[in-house]
CSV table of all heavy atoms in Angstrom, one decimal:
chain,number,residue,atom,x,y,z
A,255,ILE,N,-36.3,-26.8,48.0
A,255,ILE,CA,-35.6,-28.1,47.9
A,255,ILE,C,-34.3,-27.9,48.6
A,255,ILE,O,-33.8,-28.7,49.4
A,255,ILE,CB,-35.3,-28.4,46.4
A,255,ILE,CG1,-36.6,-28.5,45.6
A,255,ILE,CG2,-34.4,-29.6,46.3
A,255,ILE,CD1,-37.2,-29.9,45.5
A,256,ASN,N,-33.6,-26.8,48.3
A,256,ASN,CA,-32.3,-26.6,48.8
A,256,ASN,C,-32.2,-26.3,50.3
A,256,ASN,O,-31.2,-26.4,50.9
A,256,ASN,CB,-31.6,-25.5,48.0
A,256,ASN,CG,-31.3,-25.9,46.6
A,256,ASN,OD1,-31.2,-27.1,46.3
A,256,ASN,ND2,-31.2,-24.9,45.7
A,298,LYS,N,-40.3,-37.1,42.1
A,298,LYS,CA,-39.2,-36.1,41.9
A,298,LYS,C,-38.0,-36.9,41.4
A,298,LYS,O,-37.9,-38.1,41.6
A,298,LYS,CB,-38.8,-35.4,43.2
A,298,LYS,CG,-39.8,-34.5,43.7
A,298,LYS,CD,-39.1,-33.3,44.4
A,298,LYS,CE,-40.1,-32.4,45.1
A,298,LYS,NZ,-41.3,-32.2,44.6
A,299,SER,N,-37.1,-36.2,40.7
A,299,SER,CA,-35.9,-36.9,40.2
A,299,SER,C,-35.1,-37.3,41.5
A,299,SER,O,-35.2,-36.7,42.6
A,299,SER,CB,-35.1,-36.0,39.3
A,299,SER,OG,-34.4,-35.1,40.1
A,300,ASP,N,-34.3,-38.4,41.3
A,300,ASP,CA,-33.5,-38.9,42.5
A,300,ASP,C,-32.7,-37.8,43.1
A,300,ASP,O,-32.5,-37.7,44.3
A,300,ASP,CB,-32.7,-40.1,42.0
A,300,ASP,CG,-33.5,-41.3,41.8
A,300,ASP,OD1,-34.7,-41.3,42.2
A,300,ASP,OD2,-33.0,-42.3,41.2
A,301,SER,N,-32.1,-37.0,42.2
A,301,SER,CA,-31.1,-36.0,42.8
A,301,SER,C,-31.9,-35.0,43.6
A,301,SER,O,-31.4,-34.6,44.7
A,301,SER,CB,-30.3,-35.3,41.7
A,301,SER,OG,-31.2,-34.7,40.7
A,302,LEU,N,-33.1,-34.5,43.2
A,302,LEU,CA,-33.8,-33.6,44.0
A,302,LEU,C,-34.3,-34.2,45.3
A,302,LEU,O,-34.2,-33.6,46.4
A,302,LEU,CB,-35.0,-33.0,43.2
A,302,LEU,CG,-34.7,-32.2,42.0
A,302,LEU,CD1,-36.0,-31.4,41.5
A,302,LEU,CD2,-33.6,-31.3,42.2
A,303,ARG,N,-34.8,-35.4,45.2
A,303,ARG,CA,-35.2,-36.2,46.4
A,303,ARG,C,-34.1,-36.3,47.4
A,303,ARG,O,-34.3,-36.1,48.6
A,303,ARG,CB,-35.7,-37.5,45.9
A,303,ARG,CG,-36.8,-38.2,46.7
A,303,ARG,CD,-37.0,-39.5,46.1
A,303,ARG,NE,-37.3,-40.5,47.2
A,303,ARG,CZ,-38.4,-40.7,47.7
A,303,ARG,NH1,-39.5,-40.0,47.3
A,303,ARG,NH2,-38.6,-41.5,48.7
A,304,SER,N,-32.9,-36.6,46.9
A,304,SER,CA,-31.8,-36.8,47.8
A,304,SER,C,-31.4,-35.5,48.5
A,304,SER,O,-31.0,-35.5,49.7
A,304,SER,CB,-30.6,-37.4,47.1
A,304,SER,OG,-30.1,-36.6,46.2
A,305,ILE,N,-31.5,-34.4,47.8
A,305,ILE,CA,-31.2,-33.1,48.4
A,305,ILE,C,-32.2,-32.8,49.6
A,305,ILE,O,-31.8,-32.5,50.7
A,305,ILE,CB,-31.3,-31.9,47.4
A,305,ILE,CG1,-30.2,-32.1,46.4
A,305,ILE,CG2,-31.2,-30.6,48.1
A,305,ILE,CD1,-30.2,-31.1,45.2
A,306,VAL,N,-33.5,-33.0,49.3
A,306,VAL,CA,-34.5,-32.8,50.4
A,306,VAL,C,-34.2,-33.7,51.6
A,306,VAL,O,-34.2,-33.3,52.7
A,306,VAL,CB,-35.9,-33.1,49.9
A,306,VAL,CG1,-37.0,-32.9,51.0
A,306,VAL,CG2,-36.3,-32.1,48.7
A,307,LEU,N,-34.0,-35.0,51.3
A,307,LEU,CA,-33.8,-35.9,52.4
A,307,LEU,C,-32.5,-35.7,53.2
A,307,LEU,O,-32.5,-35.9,54.4
A,307,LEU,CB,-33.9,-37.4,51.9
A,307,LEU,CG,-35.3,-37.8,51.5
A,307,LEU,CD1,-35.3,-39.2,50.9
A,307,LEU,CD2,-36.3,-37.7,52.6
A,308,ALA,N,-31.5,-35.1,52.5
A,308,ALA,CA,-30.3,-34.8,53.2
A,308,ALA,C,-30.4,-33.6,54.1
A,308,ALA,O,-29.5,-33.2,54.8
A,308,ALA,CB,-29.1,-34.6,52.2
A,310,GLY,N,-31.2,-30.6,52.8
A,310,GLY,CA,-30.9,-29.4,52.0
A,310,GLY,C,-29.7,-29.5,51.1
A,310,GLY,O,-28.9,-30.5,51.2
A,311,LEU,N,-29.4,-28.5,50.3
A,311,LEU,CA,-28.3,-28.5,49.4
A,311,LEU,C,-27.0,-28.5,50.0
A,311,LEU,O,-26.0,-29.2,49.6
A,311,LEU,CB,-28.4,-27.3,48.4
A,311,LEU,CG,-27.4,-27.2,47.3
A,311,LEU,CD1,-27.5,-28.3,46.3
A,311,LEU,CD2,-27.5,-25.9,46.6
A,314,ALA,N,-26.1,-31.8,51.5
A,314,ALA,CA,-25.9,-32.8,50.4
A,314,ALA,C,-24.6,-32.5,49.7
A,314,ALA,O,-23.9,-33.4,49.4
A,314,ALA,CB,-27.1,-32.6,49.5
A,318,ARG,N,-21.0,-34.7,49.4
A,318,ARG,CA,-20.4,-35.0,48.1
A,318,ARG,C,-19.0,-34.5,48.0
A,318,ARG,O,-18.1,-35.3,47.6
A,318,ARG,CB,-21.3,-34.2,47.0
A,318,ARG,CG,-21.1,-34.7,45.6
A,318,ARG,CD,-22.3,-34.3,44.8
A,318,ARG,NE,-22.5,-32.8,44.7
A,318,ARG,CZ,-22.0,-32.1,43.7
A,318,ARG,NH1,-21.3,-32.7,42.7
A,318,ARG,NH2,-22.2,-30.8,43.6
B,37,ILE,N,-31.8,-32.1,32.7
B,37,ILE,CA,-31.1,-31.4,33.8
B,37,ILE,C,-29.6,-31.4,33.5
B,37,ILE,O,-29.0,-32.4,33.2
B,37,ILE,CB,-31.3,-32.1,35.2
B,37,ILE,CG1,-32.8,-32.3,35.5
B,37,ILE,CG2,-30.5,-31.4,36.3
B,37,ILE,CD1,-33.4,-31.4,36.5
B,38,LEU,N,-29.0,-30.2,33.5
B,38,LEU,CA,-27.6,-30.1,33.1
B,38,LEU,C,-26.8,-29.5,34.2
B,38,LEU,O,-27.3,-28.6,35.0
B,38,LEU,CB,-27.4,-29.1,31.9
B,38,LEU,CG,-28.0,-29.5,30.5
B,38,LEU,CD1,-27.9,-28.4,29.5
B,38,LEU,CD2,-27.3,-30.8,30.0
B,39,ASP,N,-25.5,-29.9,34.4
B,39,ASP,CA,-24.6,-29.2,35.3
B,39,ASP,C,-24.0,-28.1,34.6
B,39,ASP,O,-23.1,-28.3,33.7
B,39,ASP,CB,-23.6,-30.2,35.9
B,39,ASP,CG,-24.3,-31.1,36.9
B,39,ASP,OD1,-25.2,-30.6,37.6
B,39,ASP,OD2,-23.9,-32.3,37.0
B,165,TRP,N,-27.0,-27.3,39.0
B,165,TRP,CA,-27.9,-28.0,38.2
B,165,TRP,C,-29.0,-27.0,37.7
B,165,TRP,O,-29.5,-26.2,38.4
B,165,TRP,CB,-28.6,-29.2,38.9
B,165,TRP,CG,-29.4,-28.8,40.1
B,165,TRP,CD1,-29.0,-28.7,41.4
B,165,TRP,CD2,-30.8,-28.5,40.1
B,165,TRP,NE1,-30.0,-28.4,42.2
B,165,TRP,CE2,-31.2,-28.2,41.5
B,165,TRP,CE3,-31.8,-28.5,39.2
B,165,TRP,CZ2,-32.5,-27.9,41.9
B,165,TRP,CZ3,-33.1,-28.2,39.6
B,165,TRP,CH2,-33.4,-27.9,40.9
B,166,LEU,N,-29.3,-27.1,36.4
B,166,LEU,CA,-30.4,-26.3,35.8
B,166,LEU,C,-31.2,-27.2,34.9
B,166,LEU,O,-30.6,-28.0,34.2
B,166,LEU,CB,-29.8,-25.1,35.0
B,166,LEU,CG,-29.3,-23.9,35.8
B,166,LEU,CD1,-28.8,-22.9,34.8
B,166,LEU,CD2,-30.3,-23.3,36.7
Side-chain angles (χ1 to χ4, degrees):
Chain A
I255 302 265
N256 292 334
K298 288 213 188 327
S299 77
D300 286 347
S301 58
L302 298 195
R303 211 181 140 84
S304 66
I305 294 173
V306 178
L307 289 176
L311 181 67
R318 198 157 64 91
Chain B
I37 306 255
L38 293 174
D39 285 326
W165 63 271
L166 285 179

